[in-house]
Amino acid sequence: MAEIDQIREKWGSKIGFVLAAAGSAIGLGNIWKFPYITGENGGASFVIVYLICIAVIGLPVLIAEILIGRTTQRNPVGAFYKLSQSKFWASLGGLGVIAGFLILSYYAIIAGWALGYIIESINGNFYLWPDPTSAAGHFNDLVSNNYWNIGYFAFFMLLTIAIVFGGVQRGIERASKIMMPVLFILLIILMIRGLTLPGAEKGINFLWNPDWSKIDAKTVLLALGHAFFTLSLGMGAMLTYGSYMSEDDNIPTAAFQIVFLDTLVALIAGMAIFTSVFSVGLDPAAGPGLIFHTLPGVFVKMPGGYFFSILFFISLAIAALTSSISLLEVVVSYYVDELKWKRHKAAIILGFIIFLIGLPSALSFNLFSDIKIFGLSFFEVVDFLASNILLPFGGLLISVFVAWIWGLDKVIPNLKKGAEKLFENYPITLVFWKIFIKYLSPVLIFLVFLNSIGILDKIIELFE
Ligand code: PFF
């Protein structure tokens, strides 16, 4: 394990860190996944459960992750080693690096579709396939065209590599400081467009009037799992970004700002999408295809839809890019810290390897479409493995590690650095954090994990 500290890169400003971390959090999870799972799970009631999950699990675990990074000034592997002096925990940190490889390998494929759809919308192609069925057909034609699918995937990976190549301040921070405000403005324009459409109130009702009959234990666990994904937790991305912070930065406040921005964007995206979908009488429960199958037809029917469709897919691509750089950064920081690679070399080589790892997933829409593993395509297997297994498992390890291995008596003095005033004025926040991270998070995350791997069903059956 590398012990000698080189001069480590640092964020240039507090706001730079918050925007970069919010950029990691805000991504396809907010604009693509959150609206469609909300649509499938009854709207407002799901949103409320999700908000609770974010507050009681997401925020405490986010604080823990950033704190591990700031205290150790290391990548996930080096960080766990430094705090525990145990190879076992270091190898668990290695799972985060592996998750970085895997998640980016399929995340960049969907992000590539967003890039491709910017061009589709500029070309006015949605007008040729105006209803959801024909739009879905067109989408399937595009993703099964290897030149289109792999071409945009490669292009998106190049953009990601270029930013990470630039380094923490001149690459990631600078890109986030430009892209995040643009993203907010675009999404607000899209929300206003949605809200001013005839029939928009149906979409608002859907998002804000709860239907509790739709909520059961499964939906709660789904919401919890999504809270992890959307906050980039459980694989060391926030840990790595935290490792470029200074001791006098206030972690709880920054974490709160990140969570706030992430939630705000999910809700704004939800408002923009549901008002539009309802106003043209389409189905909000369209599933993963909501954005690529349903929305094109919505834009076609909406005044100014041509223009708004371009803005929408630009937002989606920007959101994905500020997340993908954090995924690549986890992997790069490991090679830079532990294996002493130069950042430039690491960004290019590792980015290329991730592209290669993603090829089977990309080809699963065409050449490999007949290959199924447990009934799932490559793409679905990698998604399942990363988001349903590695992330909750990582989140579990992080809360267990902080509360039980590193130990709260050592953790609290570190957490207080930079946040003295907050804890003096609101000591209750610290009490809550301790309870959540020590007891509530591990238990709840364990349940999500069991649910994700399908064991919870069997246990519930035993009791029925
Ligand atoms: N939070 C991102 C999203 O909501 O799209 C996804 C993500 C990024 C997950 C980075 C994990 C991660 F490390």
Side-chain angles (χ1 to χ4, degrees), residues 71-237:
T71 309
T72 58
Q73 305 276 301
R74 288 278 193 290
N75 67 92
V77 177
F80 279 108
Y81 186 75
K82 194 168 174 184
L83 291 173
S84 66
Q85 296 298 318
S86 125
K87 289 240 158 82
F88 170 74
W89 279 99
S91 60
L92 292 176
L95 286 180
V97 178
I98 294 174
F101 274 104
L102 289 181
I103 299 184
L104 186 51
S105 81
Y106 77 89
Y107 197 84
I109 296 175
I110 310 172
W113 299 344
L115 286 181
Y117 265 59
I118 299 178
I119 306 298
E120 289 297 299
S121 46
I122 293 176
N123 288 342
N125 283 355
F126 300 151
Y127 293 86
L128 305 175
W129 293 276
D131 62 280
T133 322
S134 64
H138 178 55
F139 173 76
N140 289 335
D141 286 345
L142 290 174
V143 295
S144 58
N145 173 342
N146 284 332
Y147 292 109
W148 191 88
N149 199 25
I150 297 179
Y152 280 113
F153 170 35
F155 184 42
F156 185 82
M157 279 308 299
L158 280 179
L159 295 176
T160 308
I161 292 170
I163 297 176
V164 172
F165 184 95
V168 174
Q169 260 188 45
R170 290 182 47 235
I172 299 175
E173 183 168 352
R174 193 163 60 174
S176 308
K177 273 180 158 169
I178 300 169
M179 289 196 282
M180 293 311 286
V182 174
L183 176 66
F184 285 118
I185 294 170
L186 293 182
L187 286 174
I188 288 174
I189 297 175
L190 288 162
M191 181 179 74
I192 295 175
R193 168 68 286 194
L195 288 174
T196 49
L197 287 170
E201 60 296 340
K202 281 187 243 138
I204 299 175
N205 278 343
F206 181 70
L207 203 57
W208 298 111
N209 282 347
D211 171 1
W212 292 109
S213 68
K214 291 259 170 66
I215 295 294
D216 56 19
K218 286 238 140 195
T219 6
V220 175
L221 294 178
L222 184 71
L224 202 49
H226 184 62
F228 260 82
F229 186 78
T230 191
L231 291 176
S232 308
L233 294 177
M235 54 152 291

Side-chain angles (χ1 to χ4, degrees), residues 312-329:
F312 178 80
F313 287 103
I314 293 179
S315 318
L316 191 63
I318 292 182
L321 190 56
T322 53
S323 298
S324 65
I325 52 181
S326 70
L327 288 160
L328 183 57
E329 182 60 24

Side-chain angles (χ1 to χ4, degrees), residues 432-448:
F432 273 126
W433 185 75
K434 283 194 215 163
I435 298 174
F436 286 170
I437 205 73
K438 197 159 182 184
Y439 305 106
L440 209 61
S441 308
V443 173
L444 287 178
I445 302 170
F446 187 60
L447 289 178
V448 176

